[in-house]
Amino acid sequence: MTNVIGKPDPRLDLLLERVVDVPPELVWAAWTTPEHVKKWFTPAPWTTVDCEIDLRPGGIFRTVMRSPEGQEFPNVGCYLEIVKNRKLVWTVALAPGYRPSSQRPDNLAFTAIIALEPQGSGTKYAALVMHSDEEGRKRHEEMGFHEGWGKALDQLVAHAKKM
């Protein structure tokens, strides 16, 4: 997948790769349709209670995550590149319309590349999350990147199988 997402920099990037047993079209629909995103995006017991998508470069990708205690965490980002059923690039470093984003409360800005490649009847899935510095990457990893993004992917697959 490095041809689609580039060569990850282990000092700055986190990577989750897996082959899943649903086709790229269903993974794509799960990532690009608000009703679907709300079903899987946040690792349980957290939930995604709202989602807004304007699927075009410069368009909004907004989610609101709710903790088990009921606290809500809005996240607003901007799509950078869209290749239907193959590649989705978005960042929280920019607001919609490519406007520089105001500082996030957790000060964790990143750009994510989701790459999908057909593999048999399934999908080779890669999520590359790029950070501006080693501290941000380390903090994101310590927050549970691999466990959280992995659990979210499991939830996406389970949801896609019902679609």
Side-chain angles (χ1 to χ4, degrees):
M1 282 255 170
T2 54
N3 59 340
V4 176
I5 60 174
K7 187 174 191 310
D9 180 337
R11 296 173 309 110
L12 302 174
D13 303 336
L14 295 169
L15 177 64
L16 174 71
E17 286 185 298
R18 193 182 304 162
V19 175
V20 296
D21 61 347
V22 293
E25 296 76 16
L26 289 181
V27 177
W28 180 263
W31 260 106
T32 60
T33 310
E35 303 79 47
H36 294 312
V37 170
K38 289 190 281 188
K39 302 284 187 192
W40 68 265
F41 187 73
T42 311
W46 289 59
T47 57
T48 302
V49 295
D50 197 16
C51 177
E52 179 182 359
I53 290 175
D54 180 4
L55 194 60
R56 62 181 176 82
I60 192 170
F61 178 47
R62 181 183 63 80
T63 59
V64 178
M65 299 184 289
R66 183 177 292 151
S67 74
E69 297 76 33
Q71 189 175 4
E72 293 190 354
F73 298 86
N75 295 284
V76 178
C78 170
Y79 289 109
L80 303 174
E81 183 180 1
I82 298 156
V83 181
K84 188 174 181 176
N85 297 324
R86 295 295 176 262
K87 186 176 181 185
L88 189 64
V89 183
W90 53 276
T91 185
V92 294
L94 296 173
Y98 306 111
R99 294 266 175 214
S101 181
S102 57
Q103 196 74 320
R104 287 173 47 102
D106 61 8
N107 198 28
L108 186 63
F110 62 84
T111 297
I113 301 173
I114 306 301
L116 311 173
E117 185 178 298
Q119 184 154 342
S121 60
T123 303
K124 185 171 181 185
Y125 177 97
L128 177 69
V129 179
M130 302 180 298
H131 303 84
S132 61
D133 56 39
E134 291 182 43
E135 179 186 321
R137 184 210 44 86
K138 183 179 181 202
R139 199 158 24 101
H140 200 176
E141 188 170 37
E142 290 171 352
M143 286 170 61
F145 168 81
H146 289 98
E147 181 182 348
W149 282 60
K151 188 172 185 178
L153 178 58
D154 291 342
Q155 292 171 179
L156 180 154
V157 169
H159 176 71
K161 288 179 178 182
K162 298 177 200 170
M163 291 168 46

